């Protein structure tokens, strides 16, 4: 088979994308470990009320169904954060096809359930933040449902190229909640504390911006990457690489900040 020769700028862009993915996966593994250790330990030790150290609306005494919904949301959060990268790693996908299919089915099912339980929590039980943030995360949920449906649709039709693009969009969308947390702690780190929002009400222009950015910026960057790949013009490849490089820095700083000040301490609780 004829192998296409990649230009220097394409090699550069691919390396930046791989670096981005590697940094993101390390941070997501820490996030998943925190979810498993903190919420898992609290639940298994019979102290679900400890969820409320982080989630003000997490556990409500006597509300069995509502608490089960939150518990399911937290359990599936860990499943999806771990399952996502496993779907996207080419070597795993090519060598373990059966695993890819099963993990994919679990991933899609989990994405639907997380979105539906998330919507129930925001609009039924209440969540931190204001109306703008609630609308924004609900749009994230709807986009997850659309991307999950498109991902299966093209997998069933064996249109692997379009299936892969939708699978990446789905991965970015389900990680919106992770982007939000890492983005917030990057902001806290560079401003040396809260700025642009009220930490008591957890509302303000910066948080509204962040709640929209948590899914729109990753999606825009992905479309930019696809565009650069399609056009294959050196200046475009270098510009996309530079923007992605800045994004890596934000994720690395934000992940360091949230891990040391929240995730690691809560794992040890
Ligand atoms: C699909 C991927 C999602 C994952 C991996 C995920 C993960 C999580 C995690 C880990 C928490 C606990 C918070 C923490 O300890 O930092 C949480 C809480 C929560 N999630 Fe999700 N979530 C997802 C989607 C959604 C969606 C789409 C919505 C809304 C439509 C949502 C609504 C909520 C709410 C309301 C809480 C409780 C926060 C509060 O008390 O204000 N989640 N989620």
């Amino acid at each position: 088979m004829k192998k296409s020769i990649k230009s220097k700028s394409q090699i550069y862009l691919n390396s930046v994308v791989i670096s981005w993915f590697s940094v993101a996966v390390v941070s997501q593994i820490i996030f998943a470990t925190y979810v498993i250790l903190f919420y898992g330990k609290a639940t298994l030790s019979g102290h679900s009320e400890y969820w409320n150290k982080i989630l003000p609306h997490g556990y409500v005494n006597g509300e069995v169904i509502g608490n089960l919904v939150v518990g399911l949301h937290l359990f599936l959060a860990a499943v999806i954060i771990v399952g996502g990268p496993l779907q996207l790693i080419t070597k795993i996908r090519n060598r373990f096809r059966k695993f890819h299919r099963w993990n994919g089915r679990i991933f899609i099912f989990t994405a639907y359930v997380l979105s539906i339980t998330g919507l129930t929590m925001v609009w039924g039980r209440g969540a931190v933040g204001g109306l703008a943030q609630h609308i924004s995360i609900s749009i994230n949920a709807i986009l997850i449902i659309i991307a999950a449906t498109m991902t299966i649709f093209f997998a069933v039709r064996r249109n692997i190229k379009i299936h892969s693009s939708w699978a990446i969009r789905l991965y970015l969308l389900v990680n919106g909640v992770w982007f939000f947390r890492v983005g917030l702690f990057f902001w806290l780190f560079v401003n040396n504390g809260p700025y642009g929002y009220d930490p008591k009400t957890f509302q303000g222009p910066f948080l509204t911006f962040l709640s929209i950015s948590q899914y729109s910026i990753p999606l825009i960057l992905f479309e930019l990457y696809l565009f650069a790949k399609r056009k294959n013009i050196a200046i475009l490849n270098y510009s996309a690489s530079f923007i992605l490089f800045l994004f890596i820095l934000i994720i690395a700083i934000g992940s360091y900040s949230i891990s040391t000040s929240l995730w690691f301490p809560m794992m040890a609780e």
Side-chain angles (χ1 to χ4, degrees):
M1 199 198 280
K2 206 174 141 194
K3 233 182 162 182
S4 62
I5 299 168
K6 286 199 166 58
S7 65
K8 211 171 144 193
S9 64
Q10 269 178 320
I11 296 172
Y12 200 73
L13 180 58
N14 281 348
S15 319
V16 177
V17 169
I18 292 170
S19 311
W20 179 87
F21 186 62
S22 312
V23 173
V25 170
V26 171
S27 174
Q28 286 159 7
I29 288 172
I30 302 173
F31 183 36
T33 312
Y34 144 80
V35 173
I36 294 165
L37 288 184
F38 173 64
Y39 292 107
K41 246 185 337 200
T43 312
L44 293 178
S45 65
H47 288 289
S48 300
E49 71 278 6
Y50 290 174
W51 299 347
N52 296 18
K53 288 184 187 175
I54 301 286
L55 304 177
H57 308 88
Y59 181 82
V60 181
N61 217 348
E63 268 192 28
V64 180
I65 295 188
N67 294 335
L68 281 176
V69 169
V70 178
L72 181 66
H73 189 85
L74 295 170
F75 171 69
L76 292 182
V79 172
I80 210 162
I81 305 166
V82 176
L86 294 177
Q87 283 305 90
L88 299 187
I89 296 170
T90 318
K91 278 200 178 134
I92 299 183
R93 200 168 56 231
N94 291 343
R95 283 192 60 184
F96 307 102
R97 289 196 179 257
K98 212 168 177 184
F99 170 80
H100 179 74
R101 275 194 211 114
W102 273 105
N103 191 39
R105 286 176 191 135
I106 295 171
F107 189 88
I108 301 268
F109 174 74
T110 307
Y112 283 128
V113 180
L114 268 168
S115 305
I116 294 163
T117 50
L119 286 170
T120 319
M121 285 153 70
V122 171
W123 299 106
R125 172 169 280 213
V128 290
L131 184 64
Q133 286 171 57
H134 296 169
I135 293 175
S136 186
I137 184 87
S138 302
I139 294 174
N140 194 350
I142 294 164
L143 291 176
I144 290 172
I145 292 171
I146 294 173
T149 310
M150 298 302 265
T151 305
I152 331 176
F153 180 77
F154 287 107
V156 171
R157 296 191 120 200
R158 296 282 180 271
N159 191 335
I160 300 309
K161 203 168 164 216
I162 304 187
H163 160 74
S164 309
S165 304
W166 276 105
I168 294 172
R169 288 185 191 105
L170 176 61
Y171 164 77
L172 295 172
L173 285 163
V174 299
N175 277 298
V177 294
W178 164 79
F179 283 121
F180 182 92
R181 285 159 178 75
V182 167
L184 175 61
F185 275 75
F186 165 78
W187 186 250
L188 292 172
F189 184 85
V190 292
N191 289 298
N192 212 2
Y195 182 74
Y197 72 94
D198 179 351
K200 284 199 196 90
T201 59
F202 206 64
Q203 290 181 50
F206 174 70
L207 290 180
T208 305
F209 163 78
L210 187 60
S211 67
I212 299 168
S213 307
Q214 72 179 48
Y215 49 90
S216 54
I217 290 183
L219 284 184
I220 291 169
L221 290 181
F222 178 58
E223 298 309 324
L224 175 70
Y225 164 73
L226 288 182
F227 183 70
K229 224 175 128 184
R230 238 184 354 256
K231 296 284 170 197
N232 193 19
I233 302 168
I235 183 76
L236 203 58
N237 285 341
Y238 284 125
S239 309
S241 306
F242 179 69
I243 296 171
L244 277 173
F245 177 72
L246 292 182
F247 201 40
I248 297 178
L249 282 184
I250 293 176
I251 289 175
I253 295 172
S255 300
Y256 164 78
S257 170
I258 191 168
S259 300
T260 50
S261 51
L262 182 75
W263 291 342
F264 287 140
M266 294 317 282
M267 284 182 208
E269 281 265 311

